[in-house]
Amino acid sequence: MAKLDIYREYIQRLLKEYAARDLGEDNVDVQLIFDTEHDHYQLFYVGWRNRRRVYGPVIHLDIKNEKIWLQWNGTEDDIAADLVELGVPKQDIVLGFHSPYMRQFTDYAVG
């Protein structure tokens, strides 16, 4: 299996695992958005908590130039470490939520 296909599988598996965690809220849906044509992947919350709207991405990952870009992590978990544990080398993971300048000080790819 090509590297890109493996990364797509890893991302989808990871997001499904996070989605399976029960929020315990009846009025908040967990949605998985997989755009496999353009390689955008998100876990999203949509709903209502009391009288307040809940709407937004929890995790957003992209694949660009055969690297996994972690664009947003709204969890307290280390998604990049989860990807490494699945077998993705650190040089193929970009912490996109860090500025390009700050990325050079991480163990991950700059871009």
Side-chain angles (χ1 to χ4, degrees):
M1 189 181 295
K3 180 171 133 177
L4 193 56
D5 292 333
I6 292 170
Y7 286 178
R8 287 178 178 137
E9 180 186 322
Y10 287 168
I11 289 170
Q12 291 179 39
R13 182 188 326 165
L14 185 68
L15 292 182
K16 286 177 184 176
E17 288 173 7
Y18 275 92
R21 297 178 181 178
D22 185 16
L23 283 178
E25 298 184 45
D26 292 336
N27 296 324
V28 178
D29 291 331
V30 177
Q31 296 184 356
L32 291 171
I33 302 168
F34 297 158
D35 176 359
T36 56
E37 183 177 347
H38 301 99
D39 284 321
H40 304 296
Y41 305 88
Q42 291 189 19
L43 186 153
F44 223 83
Y45 288 161
V46 178
W48 291 91
R49 181 178 299 126
N50 299 320
R51 292 182 168 187
R52 297 192 62 174
R53 180 76 170 149
V54 175
Y55 181 84
V58 180
I59 302 171
H60 176 174
L61 298 163
D62 293 330
I63 299 175
K64 298 191 298 189
N65 300 322
E66 297 194 354
K67 293 183 180 177
I68 298 174
W69 284 68
L70 181 50
Q71 303 287 15
W72 178 254
N73 180 8
T75 73
E76 295 181 359
D77 297 322
D78 188 344
I79 304 297
D82 291 343
L83 290 168
V84 169
E85 190 171 308
L86 285 170
V88 180
K90 287 184 175 182
Q91 65 265 21
D92 283 355
I93 300 170
V94 179
L95 303 179
F97 54 84
H98 284 313
S99 70
Y101 173 76
M102 291 301 293
R103 289 182 210 146
Q104 66 182 315
F105 302 112
T106 71
D107 291 337
Y108 296 96
V110 174

Short mmCIF file of all heavy atoms in Angstrom, two decimals, residues 11-49:
data_model
loop_
_atom_site.label_atom_id
_atom_site.label_comp_id
_atom_site.label_asym_id
_atom_site.label_seq_id
_atom_site.Cartn_x
_atom_site.Cartn_y
_atom_site.Cartn_z
N ILE A 11 -5.25 8.24 9.58
CA ILE A 11 -6.01 9.42 10.01
C ILE A 11 -7.47 9.05 10.26
O ILE A 11 -8.05 9.43 11.28
CB ILE A 11 -5.91 10.54 8.95
CG1 ILE A 11 -4.51 11.13 8.94
CG2 ILE A 11 -6.95 11.62 9.20
CD1 ILE A 11 -4.24 12.08 7.78
N GLN A 12 -8.07 8.32 9.35
CA GLN A 12 -9.47 7.96 9.51
C GLN A 12 -9.66 7.06 10.73
O GLN A 12 -10.62 7.24 11.48
CB GLN A 12 -9.98 7.27 8.24
CG GLN A 12 -10.08 8.26 7.07
CD GLN A 12 -10.55 7.62 5.79
OE1 GLN A 12 -11.43 6.77 5.81
NE2 GLN A 12 -9.97 8.03 4.68
N ARG A 13 -8.74 6.14 10.94
CA ARG A 13 -8.83 5.26 12.12
C ARG A 13 -8.73 6.08 13.40
O ARG A 13 -9.51 5.91 14.34
CB ARG A 13 -7.71 4.21 12.08
CG ARG A 13 -7.80 3.24 13.25
CD ARG A 13 -6.64 2.29 13.39
NE ARG A 13 -6.05 1.86 12.14
CZ ARG A 13 -4.85 1.27 12.06
NH1 ARG A 13 -4.14 1.05 13.14
NH2 ARG A 13 -4.36 0.91 10.91
N LEU A 14 -7.78 7.00 13.43
CA LEU A 14 -7.58 7.83 14.62
C LEU A 14 -8.81 8.69 14.92
O LEU A 14 -9.28 8.75 16.06
CB LEU A 14 -6.34 8.71 14.41
CG LEU A 14 -5.89 9.56 15.58
CD1 LEU A 14 -5.36 8.67 16.71
CD2 LEU A 14 -4.81 10.53 15.14
N LEU A 15 -9.36 9.33 13.89
CA LEU A 15 -10.54 10.18 14.10
C LEU A 15 -11.75 9.35 14.53
O LEU A 15 -12.55 9.80 15.35
CB LEU A 15 -10.83 11.00 12.85
CG LEU A 15 -9.80 12.08 12.52
CD1 LEU A 15 -10.22 12.86 11.29
CD2 LEU A 15 -9.56 13.02 13.70
N LYS A 16 -11.89 8.15 13.98
CA LYS A 16 -13.00 7.28 14.39
C LYS A 16 -12.86 6.90 15.86
O LYS A 16 -13.86 6.81 16.58
CB LYS A 16 -13.06 6.04 13.51
CG LYS A 16 -13.59 6.31 12.12
CD LYS A 16 -13.55 5.06 11.25
CE LYS A 16 -13.99 5.37 9.83
NZ LYS A 16 -13.87 4.19 8.94
N GLU A 17 -11.63 6.65 16.30
CA GLU A 17 -11.41 6.30 17.71
C GLU A 17 -11.80 7.48 18.61
O GLU A 17 -12.44 7.29 19.64
CB GLU A 17 -9.96 5.92 17.94
CG GLU A 17 -9.59 4.58 17.36
CD GLU A 17 -8.10 4.27 17.45
OE1 GLU A 17 -7.34 5.04 18.09
OE2 GLU A 17 -7.69 3.24 16.87
N TYR A 18 -11.42 8.69 18.22
CA TYR A 18 -11.79 9.86 19.01
C TYR A 18 -13.30 10.09 18.98
O TYR A 18 -13.90 10.47 19.99
CB TYR A 18 -11.04 11.10 18.55
CG TYR A 18 -9.68 11.22 19.18
CD1 TYR A 18 -8.57 10.68 18.57
CD2 TYR A 18 -9.52 11.84 20.41
CE1 TYR A 18 -7.31 10.76 19.16
CE2 TYR A 18 -8.28 11.93 21.01
CZ TYR A 18 -7.18 11.38 20.38
OH TYR A 18 -5.95 11.45 20.99
N ALA A 19 -13.92 9.85 17.84
CA ALA A 19 -15.36 10.05 17.71
C ALA A 19 -16.14 9.05 18.56
O ALA A 19 -17.24 9.35 19.02
CB ALA A 19 -15.78 9.94 16.25
N ALA A 20 -15.56 7.88 18.76
CA ALA A 20 -16.24 6.84 19.54
C ALA A 20 -16.29 7.18 21.02
O ALA A 20 -17.08 6.59 21.76
CB ALA A 20 -15.53 5.50 19.34
N ARG A 21 -15.47 8.12 21.45
CA ARG A 21 -15.53 8.52 22.85
C ARG A 21 -16.83 9.28 23.09
O ARG A 21 -17.14 10.25 22.41
CB ARG A 21 -14.34 9.42 23.20
CG ARG A 21 -13.02 8.71 23.05
CD ARG A 21 -11.90 9.65 23.36
NE ARG A 21 -10.62 8.98 23.20
CZ ARG A 21 -9.45 9.58 23.37
NH1 ARG A 21 -9.41 10.85 23.71
NH2 ARG A 21 -8.35 8.91 23.21
N ASP A 22 -17.58 8.84 24.00
CA ASP A 22 -18.91 9.39 24.25
C ASP A 22 -18.81 10.72 24.97
O ASP A 22 -18.18 10.82 26.02
CB ASP A 22 -19.72 8.40 25.08
CG ASP A 22 -21.15 8.85 25.26
OD1 ASP A 22 -21.61 9.75 24.53
OD2 ASP A 22 -21.81 8.30 26.15
N LEU A 23 -19.43 11.75 24.38
CA LEU A 23 -19.49 13.05 25.03
C LEU A 23 -20.43 13.04 26.22
O LEU A 23 -20.31 13.83 27.13
CB LEU A 23 -19.99 14.12 24.06
CG LEU A 23 -19.02 14.64 23.02
CD1 LEU A 23 -19.72 15.63 22.13
CD2 LEU A 23 -17.86 15.30 23.72
N GLY A 24 -21.40 12.15 26.16
CA GLY A 24 -22.40 12.10 27.20
C GLY A 24 -23.42 13.22 27.11
O GLY A 24 -24.10 13.51 28.08
N GLU A 25 -23.49 13.85 25.95
CA GLU A 25 -24.45 14.94 25.75
C GLU A 25 -25.40 14.57 24.62
O GLU A 25 -24.97 14.33 23.50
CB GLU A 25 -23.71 16.24 25.40
CG GLU A 25 -22.79 16.71 26.51
CD GLU A 25 -22.14 18.04 26.18
OE1 GLU A 25 -22.85 18.94 25.71
OE2 GLU A 25 -20.93 18.16 26.38
N ASP A 26 -26.70 14.53 24.96
CA ASP A 26 -27.70 14.11 23.98
C ASP A 26 -27.85 15.08 22.82
O ASP A 26 -28.19 14.68 21.72
CB ASP A 26 -29.05 13.93 24.67
CG ASP A 26 -29.04 12.76 25.63
OD1 ASP A 26 -28.22 11.84 25.43
OD2 ASP A 26 -29.85 12.78 26.57
N ASN A 27 -27.61 16.33 23.05
CA ASN A 27 -27.88 17.33 22.02
C ASN A 27 -26.65 17.77 21.24
O ASN A 27 -26.70 18.76 20.51
CB ASN A 27 -28.53 18.56 22.65
CG ASN A 27 -29.89 18.22 23.25
OD1 ASN A 27 -30.62 17.41 22.70
ND2 ASN A 27 -30.20 18.79 24.39
N VAL A 28 -25.54 17.07 21.41
CA VAL A 28 -24.33 17.40 20.66
C VAL A 28 -23.92 16.17 19.84
O VAL A 28 -23.68 15.10 20.38
CB VAL A 28 -23.16 17.81 21.59
CG1 VAL A 28 -21.90 18.08 20.79
CG2 VAL A 28 -23.55 19.02 22.43
N ASP A 29 -23.89 16.36 18.51
CA ASP A 29 -23.49 15.28 17.61
C ASP A 29 -22.01 15.38 17.31
O ASP A 29 -21.44 16.46 17.21
CB ASP A 29 -24.24 15.37 16.28
CG ASP A 29 -25.71 15.06 16.43
OD1 ASP A 29 -26.07 14.28 17.33
OD2 ASP A 29 -26.50 15.60 15.64
N VAL A 30 -21.39 14.21 17.17
CA VAL A 30 -20.01 14.13 16.73
C VAL A 30 -20.04 13.76 15.25
O VAL A 30 -20.65 12.77 14.88
CB VAL A 30 -19.23 13.07 17.53
CG1 VAL A 30 -17.80 12.94 17.00
CG2 VAL A 30 -19.24 13.40 19.00
N GLN A 31 -19.43 14.59 14.42
CA GLN A 31 -19.43 14.32 12.98
C GLN A 31 -18.00 14.12 12.50
O GLN A 31 -17.09 14.84 12.90
CB GLN A 31 -20.06 15.49 12.22
CG GLN A 31 -21.50 15.71 12.54
CD GLN A 31 -22.12 16.81 11.71
OE1 GLN A 31 -21.45 17.47 10.93
NE2 GLN A 31 -23.41 17.01 11.87
N LEU A 32 -17.86 13.15 11.61
CA LEU A 32 -16.57 12.91 10.95
C LEU A 32 -16.70 13.39 9.52
O LEU A 32 -17.65 13.04 8.82
CB LEU A 32 -16.23 11.42 10.97
CG LEU A 32 -15.90 10.85 12.33
CD1 LEU A 32 -15.78 9.33 12.25
CD2 LEU A 32 -14.62 11.45 12.87
N ILE A 33 -15.77 14.19 9.08
CA ILE A 33 -15.77 14.71 7.72
C ILE A 33 -14.47 14.24 7.06
O ILE A 33 -13.38 14.64 7.47
CB ILE A 33 -15.86 16.26 7.73
CG1 ILE A 33 -17.13 16.69 8.46
CG2 ILE A 33 -15.82 16.80 6.30
CD1 ILE A 33 -17.19 18.17 8.79
N PHE A 34 -14.62 13.36 6.07
CA PHE A 34 -13.47 12.82 5.35
C PHE A 34 -13.54 13.25 3.90
O PHE A 34 -14.37 12.75 3.15
CB PHE A 34 -13.44 11.29 5.42
CG PHE A 34 -13.28 10.71 6.80
CD1 PHE A 34 -13.69 9.42 7.05
CD2 PHE A 34 -12.72 11.43 7.83
CE1 PHE A 34 -13.54 8.84 8.30
CE2 PHE A 34 -12.57 10.88 9.09
CZ PHE A 34 -12.98 9.58 9.33
N ASP A 35 -12.73 14.17 3.48
CA ASP A 35 -12.62 14.58 2.09
C ASP A 35 -11.38 13.89 1.53
O ASP A 35 -10.27 14.43 1.56
CB ASP A 35 -12.50 16.11 1.99
CG ASP A 35 -12.28 16.60 0.58
OD1 ASP A 35 -12.20 15.76 -0.35
OD2 ASP A 35 -12.18 17.82 0.40
N THR A 36 -11.58 12.66 1.05
CA THR A 36 -10.44 11.86 0.59
C THR A 36 -9.92 12.32 -0.77
O THR A 36 -8.80 11.99 -1.14
CB THR A 36 -10.82 10.37 0.50
OG1 THR A 36 -11.96 10.22 -0.33
CG2 THR A 36 -11.11 9.81 1.88
N GLU A 37 -10.72 13.11 -1.49
CA GLU A 37 -10.26 13.64 -2.77
C GLU A 37 -9.22 14.74 -2.57
O GLU A 37 -8.23 14.83 -3.28
CB GLU A 37 -11.44 14.18 -3.58
CG GLU A 37 -11.04 14.68 -4.95
CD GLU A 37 -12.22 15.14 -5.78
OE1 GLU A 37 -13.39 14.85 -5.40
OE2 GLU A 37 -11.99 15.81 -6.78
N HIS A 38 -9.49 15.61 -1.56
CA HIS A 38 -8.58 16.74 -1.31
C HIS A 38 -7.74 16.55 -0.04
O HIS A 38 -7.00 17.44 0.36
CB HIS A 38 -9.38 18.04 -1.20
CG HIS A 38 -10.17 18.33 -2.44
ND1 HIS A 38 -11.51 18.05 -2.55
CD2 HIS A 38 -9.79 18.84 -3.64
CE1 HIS A 38 -11.93 18.39 -3.75
NE2 HIS A 38 -10.91 18.86 -4.44
N ASP A 39 -7.94 15.41 0.64
CA ASP A 39 -7.19 15.04 1.85
C ASP A 39 -7.35 16.04 3.00
O ASP A 39 -6.38 16.53 3.58
CB ASP A 39 -5.71 14.82 1.54
CG ASP A 39 -5.48 13.49 0.85
OD1 ASP A 39 -6.14 12.50 1.25
OD2 ASP A 39 -4.66 13.42 -0.07
N HIS A 40 -8.61 16.31 3.33
CA HIS A 40 -8.96 17.09 4.52
C HIS A 40 -9.81 16.18 5.42
O HIS A 40 -10.76 15.54 4.94
CB HIS A 40 -9.78 18.33 4.15
CG HIS A 40 -9.12 19.22 3.16
ND1 HIS A 40 -7.93 19.87 3.41
CD2 HIS A 40 -9.48 19.56 1.91
CE1 HIS A 40 -7.58 20.57 2.36
NE2 HIS A 40 -8.50 20.40 1.42
N TYR A 41 -9.48 16.17 6.71
CA TYR A 41 -10.15 15.26 7.64
C TYR A 41 -10.44 16.00 8.94
O TYR A 41 -9.52 16.62 9.50
CB TYR A 41 -9.26 14.04 7.93
CG TYR A 41 -8.82 13.34 6.67
CD1 TYR A 41 -7.67 13.74 6.00
CD2 TYR A 41 -9.58 12.32 6.13
CE1 TYR A 41 -7.28 13.11 4.82
CE2 TYR A 41 -9.20 11.69 4.96
CZ TYR A 41 -8.04 12.09 4.31
OH TYR A 41 -7.67 11.49 3.14
N GLN A 42 -11.70 15.92 9.38
CA GLN A 42 -12.07 16.65 10.60
C GLN A 42 -13.01 15.82 11.48
O GLN A 42 -13.82 15.04 10.98
CB GLN A 42 -12.79 17.96 10.26
CG GLN A 42 -11.90 18.98 9.61
CD GLN A 42 -12.60 20.32 9.48
OE1 GLN A 42 -13.58 20.61 10.15
NE2 GLN A 42 -12.09 21.15 8.60
N LEU A 43 -12.88 16.06 12.76
CA LEU A 43 -13.87 15.61 13.74
C LEU A 43 -14.51 16.89 14.24
O LEU A 43 -13.81 17.84 14.62
CB LEU A 43 -13.19 14.85 14.87
CG LEU A 43 -14.13 14.21 15.89
CD1 LEU A 43 -13.44 12.99 16.50
CD2 LEU A 43 -14.53 15.15 16.98
N PHE A 44 -15.83 16.93 14.23
CA PHE A 44 -16.58 18.16 14.44
C PHE A 44 -17.67 17.94 15.49
O PHE A 44 -18.25 16.86 15.54
CB PHE A 44 -17.27 18.51 13.11
CG PHE A 44 -17.21 19.95 12.73
CD1 PHE A 44 -16.11 20.47 12.11
CD2 PHE A 44 -18.29 20.79 12.96
CE1 PHE A 44 -16.05 21.79 11.72
CE2 PHE A 44 -18.25 22.11 12.59
CZ PHE A 44 -17.13 22.61 11.97
N TYR A 45 -17.95 18.93 16.32
CA TYR A 45 -19.10 18.88 17.23
C TYR A 45 -20.16 19.85 16.73
O TYR A 45 -19.86 21.00 16.38
CB TYR A 45 -18.71 19.31 18.65
CG TYR A 45 -17.87 18.33 19.43
CD1 TYR A 45 -17.14 18.76 20.53
CD2 TYR A 45 -17.81 16.99 19.09
CE1 TYR A 45 -16.37 17.87 21.26
CE2 TYR A 45 -17.04 16.11 19.81
CZ TYR A 45 -16.32 16.55 20.89
OH TYR A 45 -15.56 15.68 21.62
N VAL A 46 -21.41 19.38 16.72
CA VAL A 46 -22.54 20.20 16.29
C VAL A 46 -23.70 19.95 17.24
O VAL A 46 -24.07 18.80 17.48
CB VAL A 46 -22.98 19.86 14.86
CG1 VAL A 46 -24.19 20.68 14.45
CG2 VAL A 46 -21.84 20.05 13.87
N GLY A 47 -24.29 21.00 17.77
CA GLY A 47 -25.46 20.81 18.61
C GLY A 47 -25.68 21.97 19.57
O GLY A 47 -25.27 23.10 19.30
N TRP A 48 -26.31 21.62 20.71
CA TRP A 48 -26.65 22.63 21.71
C TRP A 48 -26.32 22.11 23.09
O TRP A 48 -26.56 20.94 23.41
CB TRP A 48 -28.14 22.96 21.66
CG TRP A 48 -28.51 23.70 20.42
CD1 TRP A 48 -28.92 23.15 19.23
CD2 TRP A 48 -28.49 25.11 20.23
NE1 TRP A 48 -29.14 24.13 18.32
CE2 TRP A 48 -28.90 25.35 18.90
CE3 TRP A 48 -28.16 26.18 21.03
CZ2 TRP A 48 -28.99 26.63 18.37
CZ3 TRP A 48 -28.25 27.45 20.51
CH2 TRP A 48 -28.67 27.67 19.19
N ARG A 49 -25.74 22.96 23.92
CA ARG A 49 -25.47 22.66 25.33
C ARG A 49 -26.21 23.73 26.11
O ARG A 49 -25.88 24.91 26.01
CB ARG A 49 -23.98 22.69 25.62
CG ARG A 49 -23.64 22.37 27.06
CD ARG A 49 -22.14 22.35 27.32
NE ARG A 49 -21.48 21.33 26.50
CZ ARG A 49 -20.46 21.57 25.69
NH1 ARG A 49 -19.94 22.76 25.57
NH2 ARG A 49 -19.93 20.59 24.98
#
